[in-house]
Amino acid sequence: MRRKLVAGNWKMNGSLAANAALVAGIKEGLVAQACDVAVCVPAPYLAQVQALVAGSPVGLGAQDVSAHASGAYTGEVSASMLQEFGVQYVILGHSERRAYHGESDAAVAAKTVAALKAGLVPLVCVGETLEQREAGQTNAVVGGQLDVVLAALSVEEAARIVVAYEPVWAIGTGKTATPEMAQEVHAMLRARLGAKSAEAAAKVCILYGGSMKPDNAQQLLAMGDIDGGLIGGAALKAADFLAIINAAA
């Protein structure tokens, strides 16, 4: 059985005071869970949140990493730097990075390799736009994004990633894929992993990242190939985040 993972993506939100209150609320409400929990925070807050989650079941994640180990890359953060702050997870290829920063599938693959070399768990995001879905291109687009990453990995490395399916049309729009729609894509992604190796298909968690909220989490998480959630807005409210964690337990 794959252990479920619920990861909060804080995006570009937070302050020292707000972070302290949010993490305190999460830790206070977190009972012994049958799922893994993480918060992926803006880089300036990694040291603060590292201290806040120390000794708790809450894992620490970053929101991006450079494909380069070091050097003249102003503004970039390397995987070894993240490692020094106790970071366990890193979000890669989020739809906002792809859309606003022009990140290609090849760039996401290179970052995935860098993260794995440093012992980080990459949360590799894939997803289609509304236009692509309506054109019947979901499997080609989403499967293709994953295939480029898998092609850069060894069989052993492929079993150490996490995949997050985030339909772009369902992020922050109020629209959500039905559990059946999400499951269909997750099953396709599981098959793509299986084409790489049976071990990857069996081990890799595939998270749903399209506006998972307390009121739809249980139905989504009941699907056979949905192994958790990459949570946006609901991760900024302790009560909502805890409700999703409880739905995954």
Side-chain angles (χ1 to χ4, degrees):
M1 285 290 290
R2 290 177 298 276
R3 186 173 167 86
K4 285 186 164 58
L5 167 65
V6 176
N9 177 13
W10 290 7
K11 305 193 179 185
M12 198 174 71
N13 294 292
S15 68
L16 291 172
N19 300 346
L22 177 55
V23 173
I26 293 169
K27 290 199 302 183
E28 186 180 340
L30 206 57
V31 293
Q33 293 295 338
C35 77
D36 292 326
V37 177
V39 290
C40 300
V41 311
Y45 297 128
L46 286 171
Q48 180 204 17
V49 179
Q50 178 189 22
L52 292 173
V53 301
S56 81
V58 181
L60 181 61
Q63 296 177 10
D64 190 26
V65 73
S66 174
H68 304 283
S70 63
Y73 302 102
T74 301
E76 293 291 289
V77 176
S78 73
S80 62
M81 292 174 185
L82 296 181
Q83 201 178 29
E84 286 198 314
F85 287 90
V87 170
Q88 297 163 260
Y89 302 93
V90 59
I91 298 171
L92 299 177
H94 191 280
S95 61
E96 290 156 3
R97 298 290 311 175
R98 293 176 188 264
Y100 306 148
H101 299 273
E103 285 196 3
S104 65
D105 295 338
V108 176
K111 290 181 176 189
T112 302
V113 170
L116 287 167
K117 280 183 179 172
L120 304 177
V121 177
L123 307 184
V124 179
C125 298
V126 296
E128 84 282 26
T129 64
L130 183 61
E131 292 75 20
Q132 289 165 336
R133 171 164 277 274
E134 290 179 341
Q137 298 171 340
T138 295
N139 286 4
V141 170
V142 178
Q145 289 170 343
L146 180 59
D147 285 346
V148 173
V149 172
L150 292 177
L153 306 180
S154 69
V155 168
E156 184 271 334
E157 287 171 331
R160 292 196 285 125
I161 69 171
V162 169
V163 177
Y165 169 54
E166 37 155 29
V168 180
W169 50 271
I171 300 174
T173 61
K175 295 182 179 180
T176 311
T178 65
E180 292 75 20
M181 288 163 67
Q183 165 61 23
E184 186 179 346
V185 179
H186 279 236
M188 180 274 295
L189 290 168
R190 182 92 51 211
R192 298 282 180 132
L193 288 162
K196 181 73 175 184
S197 81
E199 183 186 15
K203 283 189 175 180
V204 170
C205 282
I206 307 178
L207 313 182
Y208 179 69
S211 296
M212 186 181 283
K213 297 180 173 62
D215 60 358
N216 63 20
Q218 196 161 14
Q219 292 80 9
L220 286 161
L221 291 165
M223 297 290 114
D225 288 298
I226 299 182
D227 303 315
L230 181 59
I231 315 302
L236 299 175
K237 298 176 182 175
D240 287 355
F241 193 51
L242 288 164
I244 295 169
I245 293 166
N246 289 335

